[in-house]
Amino acid sequence: MTNFLRLTVGEIQRMNKYQILPSSLFVILFWIGFLYFVDDTFINQMFAILVFVDASIMSIIFVGATMFFEKQEGTFRSLMVSPIRKSDYILSKGVSIVVSNLLTVVLLFAFVYWVKGANINLIGFIAGVSLIGFFHAILGFWMSFYAKDFTSLIMRSSLYMIVFVVPVILVELQVIQTEWFAYVLYIIPTQASMNVLNAAAGIPLETWEIWVSASYLLAVTIGIFFITLKKFDVFAQKEGGQ
Amino acid sequence: MFQVEQLSYTYPNGNEQTLKDVNFHVNKGEIFGLLGPSGVGKSTTQKVLTKLIQNYKGAVLYKGKDLTQYGKDYFEDIGVGFEMPVHFSKLTAEENISFFKKLYKNPADTDALLKRVGLYDDRKKKVSEFSKGMKVRLNFVRAMINQPTMLFLDEPTNGLDPVNSRIIKNMMKEYRNQGGTILLTTHLMNDVDELCDRVAFMANGTIAEIDSPKNLKQKGSARTVIVEYMSGNKQKTDVFNLDTIGTDDAFLSIIQQHKLLTMHSQETTLEDIFIQMTGVKIDD
């Protein structure tokens, strides 16, 4: 087993011990309750929206929580004097959050499939959520660089939600129906995320839209990973060296 | 083991240099003490040597090779014991040790280490249930987890009772006797006196003095002996020159004809030297 896998397994175990995974399960139960009351006609769309929220905003908050536990308990320092690559450390954070996201997808899928009889492309969702969850986990990791404490991260996450997540949902629910606004949203990665999930949910989209969205999401994920990797030394020095 | 040359460092957004042309070396198989009051740069120096700080000026050579040339394998070779606890509090001691142990190619027998520091029976307890002393001992096990050849220890006995402090100090001596090298940072001058082969006093970001504790004490000592004795019913005190004491008639007369109460050479303590070198009292 490589150190990347050891870090990932350790991260998932700690997410359980620190009540992050149980919190995630509690949120899933809440969403299952919500989906129970959704009309079958809209179940695919609502499923995609809930998965979108989980893979975006919840990923940022969960990775932030793990970072702040590590900073608070000094374990970040201990990890920084261990024989691990910084890329392995960052990747392990992203992958363990994706595991949590996939747990949400599988449990919600099981509910809508067996209880609501929905026809959803599970493989498509797994692929989409892996990309969206990973992107947002790395974004959350990067945001925690600049957050003084967990409250500060929550404030930043809320701002991100208002600016990047809520408008996408409002357009999705047709609360905002202005056509130009929908196109403006194409410049933000959350709209690309929604498009990818909509495609998996069987909501009609142009083929080019799906490919452009997936490619865009992949590009920004690679971009933010390398930016985070580059900034990591400054962060590690700030947290471990000062 | 280490050669530090012209090491300087300024923290980002810092106005003043924390380290100013620091020069010293650490020999293989010695316990090297880095002493000084808070804020003079000893922790910063240790962070440079443990690669927690990287954009410094000057040169740091480890085993003859520039520290910047080492990758993650450097951490296979060193062990770091932090002053503050560095454990996942919601995991047990065993889970903490197991997690970190798996990251190394050459892990130590951690059960033996836990037994030695008296934590084996508590290994299934969550670290959050540990006392301060237990966490300090677990820090030491964490530092030794990879059988390092170089050990950095920051206040390793701080918060320990005398029995556990003795265990840790004995383990440090054994480690040194088996060829290991230790860079020790501590405020406890008794530990320094007992453990260190050489010590460096830091003041204002530079090294003020480096020598063995014995030499430092001799350098700072007054070459005198104070004798307290009874003369009739009265207690008297006289001071004699240590270099001429064997031929000093007054001294010889006192020891032959009077009842001696005490007799002390004026060897200075490391604490006195610390205050003298740094201008700061230990408690500060």
Side-chain angles (χ1 to χ4, degrees):
Chain A
M1 196 190 273
T2 63
N3 274 356
F4 162 66
L5 284 175
R6 291 186 187 104
L7 286 169
T8 306
V9 170
E11 189 70 31
I12 293 167
Q13 284 171 342
R14 289 195 300 278
M15 281 172 70
N16 186 37
K17 295 265 183 179
Y18 282 76
Q19 303 298 315
I20 293 170
L21 277 181
S23 302
S24 176
L25 286 173
F26 179 77
V27 173
I28 293 168
L29 283 177
F30 177 76
W31 282 341
I32 284 175
F34 176 75
L35 284 172
Y36 181 79
F37 294 103
V38 171
D39 190 278
D40 290 359
T41 320
F42 303 109
I43 199 74
N44 283 26
Q45 189 183 23
M46 286 315 299
F47 179 85
I49 289 173
L50 292 186
V51 169
F52 166 66
V53 171
D54 185 83
S56 56
I57 206 72
M58 297 308 284
S59 296
I60 292 174
I61 291 170
F62 285 162
V63 81
T66 67
M67 288 299 294
F68 281 105
F69 278 128
E70 281 183 16
K71 288 200 272 186
Q72 193 181 337
E73 297 187 336
T75 46
F76 180 78
R77 277 186 174 189
S78 196
L79 282 162
M80 289 304 102
V81 294
S82 303
I84 56 171
R85 288 190 185 90
K86 54 186 175 182
S87 56
D88 286 349
Y89 177 72
I90 299 168
L91 281 171
S92 72
K93 292 275 177 205
V95 170
S96 53
I97 292 295
V98 166
V99 169
S100 162
N101 297 144
L102 291 179
L103 184 69
T104 304
V105 169
V106 170
L107 291 177
L108 285 184
F109 174 81
F111 175 77
V112 297
Y113 183 79
W114 296 108
V115 178
K116 306 292 276 189
N119 184 18
I120 283 170
N121 176 2
L122 180 62
I123 302 298
F125 263 97
I126 287 173
V129 162
S130 299
L131 195 56
I132 297 160
F134 186 79
F135 167 73
H136 283 92
I138 302 302
L139 183 66
F141 187 87
W142 184 69
M143 283 165 77
S144 70
F145 284 12
Y146 302 99
K148 283 179 187 167
D149 48 35
F150 190 60
T151 311
S152 167
L153 181 79
I154 294 290
M155 295 295 287
R156 285 159 197 258
S157 308
S158 303
L159 187 67
Y160 179 82
M161 191 165 76
I162 290 165
V163 176
F164 294 107
V165 177
V166 172
V168 172
I169 294 173
L170 292 178
V171 169
E172 187 64 19
L173 296 173
Q174 297 187 329
V175 174
I176 298 174
Q177 295 190 357
T178 317
E179 200 174 335
W180 65 265
F181 187 73
Y183 282 107
V184 166
L185 287 182
Y186 273 73
I187 61 171
I188 60 173
T190 39
Q191 181 60 54
S193 304
M194 194 70 247
N195 287 346
V196 168
L197 295 177
N198 277 341
I203 293 165
L205 277 173
E206 297 288 342
T207 310
W208 69 265
E209 273 187 299
I210 301 168
W211 282 108
V212 165
S213 297
S215 305
Y216 178 49
L217 202 51
L218 186 64
V220 291
T221 303
I222 293 168
I224 197 159
F225 175 75
F226 282 104
I227 289 170
T228 305
L229 195 60
K230 200 176 173 187
K231 290 276 179 189
F232 186 74
D233 283 339
V234 177
F235 174 67
Q237 184 167 309
K238 186 175 146 218
E239 293 305 326
Q242 289 187 45
Chain B
M1 205 72 169
F2 270 109
Q3 184 72 41
V4 178
E5 293 165 1
Q6 304 287 306
L7 176 64
S8 298
Y9 181 73
T10 306
Y11 279 104
N13 307 321
N15 298 323
E16 220 178 303
Q17 278 189 320
T18 304
L19 300 178
K20 301 164 190 166
D21 292 337
V22 171
N23 295 285
F24 68 94
H25 70 275
V26 181
N27 297 319
K28 188 177 185 307
E30 76 172 351
I31 299 180
F32 185 85
L34 201 53
L35 314 177
S38 302
V40 293
K42 56 186 193 302
S43 293
T44 305
T45 305
Q46 186 159 324
K47 282 166 190 167
V48 168
L49 302 190
T50 53
K51 286 176 76 81
L52 282 171
I53 288 175
Q54 298 191 6
N55 49 339
Y56 54 84
K57 287 179 183 165
V60 179
L61 304 179
Y62 177 66
K63 292 182 175 174
K65 185 176 157 185
D66 198 297
L67 197 59
T68 56
Q69 303 299 310
Y70 284 94
K72 68 185 179 73
D73 284 346
Y74 176 67
F75 298 106
E76 294 281 358
D77 217 34
I78 68 163
V80 184
F82 294 98
E83 182 184 4
M84 303 301 287
V86 285
H87 309 293
F88 298 107
S89 64
K90 293 187 190 297
L91 269 59
T92 65
E94 192 174 52
E95 287 167 339
N96 267 284
I97 293 299
S98 170
F99 170 71
F100 284 107
K101 187 179 174 177
K102 286 174 188 164
L103 300 176
Y104 293 93
K105 290 175 187 165
N106 186 30
D109 178 354
T110 48
D111 279 354
L113 284 170
L114 286 169
K115 280 176 190 165
R116 188 77 195 278
V117 301
L119 289 178
Y120 187 73
D121 292 341
D122 297 304
R123 69 192 186 284
K124 305 281 186 195
K125 277 188 189 168
K126 281 185 183 176
V127 172
S128 57
E129 296 168 23
F130 274 23
S131 67
K132 187 189 175 189
M134 291 164 88
K135 287 176 185 170
V136 170
R137 284 182 275 156
L138 193 60
N139 266 10
F140 187 76
V141 174
R142 163 69 184 93
M144 298 286 280
I145 209 166
N146 54 324
Q147 304 191 66
T149 55
M150 176 77 214
L151 197 51
F152 295 88
L153 297 175
D154 194 355
E155 306 284 359
T157 59
N158 197 11
L160 294 183
D161 59 67
V163 173
N164 284 309
S165 176
R166 170 56 43 212
I167 291 169
I168 297 294
K169 284 192 274 190
N170 286 345
M171 288 176 81
M172 288 166 66
K173 285 181 196 171
E174 283 168 27
Y175 173 81
R176 186 257 316 271
N177 294 341
Q178 288 161 8
T181 309
I182 300 177
L183 192 143
L184 173 68
T185 309
T186 182
H187 282 100
L188 302 174
M189 292 300 133
N190 286 340
D191 286 4
V192 174
D193 212 357
E194 179 185 345
L195 296 168
C196 292
D197 299 293
R198 289 190 306 134
V199 292
F201 282 95
M202 286 194 81
N204 300 319
T206 57
I207 302 282
E209 179 77 62
I210 300 182
D211 212 329
S212 67
K214 190 179 175 184
N215 286 346
L216 284 170
K217 284 189 286 185
Q218 281 179 352
K219 277 184 205 172
S221 299
R223 301 284 299 161
T224 54
V225 174
I226 295 180
V227 180
E228 288 180 316
Y229 60 97
M230 295 302 292
S231 177
N233 291 328
K234 287 185 180 174
Q235 184 179 319
K236 289 184 113 179
T237 303
D238 282 333
V239 179
F240 299 97
N241 187 322
L242 191 59
D243 296 319
T244 57
I245 200 165
T247 54
D248 190 316
D249 292 337
F251 173 75
L252 294 172
S253 164
I254 287 168
I255 62 171
Q256 285 167 6
Q257 296 172 17
H258 297 277
K259 182 185 177 187
L260 295 183
L261 297 173
T262 63
M263 187 160 65
H264 294 290
S265 61
Q266 294 306 289
E267 188 180 60
T268 192
T269 63
L270 279 176
E271 188 170 325
D272 292 333
I273 297 166
F274 183 98
I275 294 164
Q276 187 189 327
M277 294 286 173
T278 63
V280 178
K281 288 187 177 179
I282 305 284
D283 290 344
D284 293 349

